[in-house]
Amino acid sequence: MADEVGRGEGESRGPGADHRVFMVMECLLEKLKVLNYEEELLVKHNMKNLSRHYFVSSPYLASNPGEQFYMFTIIAAWLISLAGRPFTEPQESDEPNATVSNILAELRALGVKVDFPPSKLKSGSGEHVCFVLDRLAEEALKKRRFTFKKPVYPAENTEEESVMEDDAELTLSKVEEDMLVEEADDEEENVMDLEALKLRTTITEAEMSSKPDDILESAVDAEEWNLEVERVLPQLKVTTHTDNKDWRIHVHQMHQHRDGIKSSLKEAKSHLNKLQEDIGKTLEKVSSREKYINSQLEHLTQEYRSAHAKLSEVKENYQQASGTVTEKTRVLAEVSERIELEKVKQEMEERGSSMSDGAPVVRIKQSLTKLKQEILQMDVRTGVVEHMLLQAKIKEKSNMTRDMHATSIPEPAARHFV
């Protein structure tokens, strides 16, 4: 796997190279299970278990690059720490390039040769991701001194195969022995004992041979004979159990399956041929409709192409203008920063100069003298206003006294007016 990763994409690989990554992923999952990643890692981060082909980039598997990359970084950091090298656990907000570079640096420090760029790991899946995790898992297993041993297979008890005899060599005694064994195994089947039948036939032959050669006449009634035959007929059936291990049965089944496949193939061929014809006709209709639509909408397609070309030109002009505006904005920001800096410098210089000389103290003294003068003037004005107010109050009081004396008239004068 390391040789294949280091070759690059330019060289040709074997036909099974695309599927080898699936085997690497399955081996990686077994190694992670040996390292007990479910309890030490997944439970801690509240993650779900990995599938057999989780880190394999395949169009048949639904993938989430962000989730896969985060899972890859977490597992890689955990394996590096198990390998005996301190490594900070990455976060989702970390820079992907920095995280991948740190992982590859730790992998090189462990003695693993890496010949591919870090950008191959940013997708979170693929043969390079599986390669990195597999090598880190191997280093972690070496640190724990764990090695995979060869499987020990149990010894198989070879059964002695019985020699199959030809059907032409079967004798009546062999059939009778098989029937006796079947009667001992299965008591529910009513099978007639062939040995007793043979003994009975030999006894009757001996009796017949002892009798004189004359015309034999039966004393048994024909109806009773027929009834006895009907009663004994079910017991005269000889049943033989077929052995499933017999190669003849397998050959017969193979012939049956072949005939069934041939018959099914004929029906399937007819349906497939019909389906092919229907698909061909449909494709021809679609192509004709497509040509007709293209001929009808040719002027619209030309207009669309011209409009698309104009749009591309406008986009290019817009990008240029936006670049110019960005540059001007940057220059304006620099100029404004310079102006503000000069203002601050000027203010600092003025404050420094004012702090170094005694001009502020002189100004403060002048302000104090001016303030004292203004206070004196305000006191004079206040005294004048108080004097004027006092005169007004005295005048008002005299007027009120005069009015009171004027309103009080003598009583004789009042009677005279009455």
Side-chain angles (χ1 to χ4, degrees):
M1 182 68 187
D3 297 338
E4 292 180 358
V5 174
R7 289 174 190 168
E9 298 179 358
E11 300 182 3
S12 61
R13 299 187 297 177
D18 295 334
H19 303 281
R20 192 170 299 173
V21 64
F22 292 90
M23 299 175 61
V24 175
M25 180 60 205
E26 291 181 2
C27 294
L28 169 63
L29 187 60
E30 296 298 329
K31 294 175 183 177
L32 292 176
K33 289 180 179 179
V34 171
L35 293 171
N36 196 14
Y37 84 108
E38 296 176 352
E39 297 181 359
E40 297 184 5
L41 183 66
L42 299 183
V43 176
K44 178 180 177 182
H45 294 277
N46 194 14
M47 296 178 178
K48 60 183 179 180
N49 293 333
L50 299 179
S51 60
R52 294 172 58 198
H53 305 145
Y54 183 78
F55 288 113
V56 178
S57 178
S58 176
Y60 303 103
L61 298 176
S63 60
N64 187 354
E67 180 184 352
Q68 284 181 337
F69 180 76
Y70 179 67
M71 183 73 77
F72 161 65
T73 56
I74 290 295
I75 295 175
W78 178 66
L79 291 175
I80 291 171
S81 62
L82 289 182
R85 298 186 62 84
F87 192 82
T88 305
E89 185 175 299
Q91 304 295 329
E92 293 185 1
S93 59
D94 293 345
E95 180 65 24
N97 294 323
T99 304
V100 171
S101 300
N102 295 332
I103 292 172
L104 291 181
E106 295 293 336
L107 189 62
R108 292 189 184 96
L110 291 172
V112 180
K113 185 178 179 181
V114 179
D115 296 333
F116 54 87
S119 59
K120 296 288 186 180
L121 303 178
K122 291 178 64 176
S123 62
S125 62
E127 58 179 352
H128 301 89
V129 173
C130 296
F131 166 72
V132 171
L133 293 178
D134 185 65
R135 295 310 302 269
L136 290 175
E138 288 182 1
E139 296 296 331
L141 291 174
K142 289 180 182 179
K143 185 67 177 178
R144 291 191 176 183
R145 297 180 180 179
F146 179 85
T147 56
F148 288 97
K149 298 180 181 179
K150 294 183 179 180
V152 178
Y153 299 101
E156 296 182 358
N157 296 325
T158 56
E159 298 180 357
E160 296 181 358
E161 297 181 356
S162 58
V163 180
M164 302 298 295
E165 298 179 355
D166 194 358
D167 294 340
E169 297 178 357
L170 293 176
T171 58
L172 182 60
S173 60
K174 184 68 176 177
V175 176
E176 291 175 355
E177 292 176 1
D178 293 339
M179 292 300 299
L180 291 174
V181 172
E182 290 175 0
E183 287 180 356
D185 294 337
D186 191 1
E187 296 179 359
E188 294 180 357
E189 296 181 358
N190 296 323
V191 181
M192 187 175 181
D193 191 357
L194 297 179
E195 188 67 25
L197 181 61
K198 183 178 179 182
L199 293 174
R200 188 178 299 174
T201 52
T202 53
I203 293 171
T204 53
E205 288 178 357
E207 292 177 353
M208 290 176 64
S209 59
S210 60
K211 290 183 179 180
D213 296 335
D214 54 358
I215 298 173
L216 298 177
E217 293 181 0
S218 177
V220 180
D221 190 3
E223 294 181 356
E224 293 179 358
W225 176 264
N226 292 329
L227 292 173
E228 185 67 17
V229 169
E230 291 179 358
R231 186 181 65 82
V232 181
L233 185 61
Q235 298 179 1
L236 297 177
K237 292 182 180 179
V238 178
T239 58
T240 58
H241 295 282
T242 58
D243 189 6
N244 293 327
K245 295 182 180 180
D246 191 3
W247 62 271
R248 295 180 182 85
I249 297 173
H250 292 294
V251 171
H252 182 65
Q253 290 178 355
M254 289 171 62
H255 287 298
Q256 288 181 351
H257 292 317
R258 184 188 62 183
D259 297 336
I261 291 170
K262 285 183 178 180
S263 61
S264 301
L265 183 60
K266 290 180 181 179
E267 297 178 359
K269 273 187 177 180
S270 61
H271 291 297
L272 291 174
N273 292 330
K274 186 177 180 181
L275 182 61
Q276 183 181 4
E277 293 177 357
D278 295 339
I279 292 173
K281 292 179 181 179
T282 305
L283 290 175
E284 290 178 357
K285 290 180 181 180
V286 170
S287 61
S288 62
R289 294 288 178 84
E290 185 179 359
K291 291 178 181 178
Y292 175 74
I293 291 172
N294 291 332
S295 62
Q296 293 293 326
L297 302 178
E298 186 176 1
H299 63 286
L300 295 177
T301 54
Q302 292 179 357
E303 292 178 359
Y304 173 74
R305 289 172 184 172
S306 61
H308 191 270
K310 292 180 181 179
L311 178 62
S312 61
E313 292 178 359
V314 171
K315 284 184 177 179
E316 186 176 358
N317 296 331
Y318 171 74
Q319 290 178 357
Q320 294 178 358
S322 62
T324 306
V325 170
T326 305
E327 184 67 22
K328 297 295 182 183
T329 305
R330 185 181 61 79
V331 174
L332 178 61
E334 292 179 357
V335 170
S336 61
E337 287 178 358
R338 290 177 183 176
I339 294 172
E340 290 179 358
L341 182 61
E342 291 177 357
K343 287 182 180 180
V344 172
K345 286 182 179 180
Q346 186 177 0
E347 291 179 358
M348 292 295 292
E349 289 177 357
E350 290 178 357
R351 290 183 180 181
S353 61
S354 63
M355 290 174 67
S356 60
D357 57 5
V361 179
V362 175
R363 290 176 185 174
I364 291 170
K365 288 181 179 180
Q366 292 176 357
S367 299
L368 288 173
T369 55
K370 188 176 180 180
L371 185 60
K372 288 179 181 179
Q373 291 176 1
E374 290 179 355
I375 290 171
L376 291 175
Q377 291 178 1
M378 289 298 294
D379 290 338
V380 173
R381 290 179 181 179
T382 303
V384 173
V385 171
E386 287 179 354
H387 180 69
M388 291 174 66
L389 182 62
L390 182 60
Q391 286 182 354
K393 286 182 178 181
I394 293 170
K395 188 176 181 180
E396 185 179 0
K397 188 175 182 180
S398 63
N399 290 332
M400 289 176 65
T401 306
R402 189 183 59 208
D403 292 338
M404 288 174 64
H405 289 294
T407 53
S408 59
I409 304 171
E411 187 176 352
R415 288 177 182 179
H416 177 71
F417 286 111
V418 174

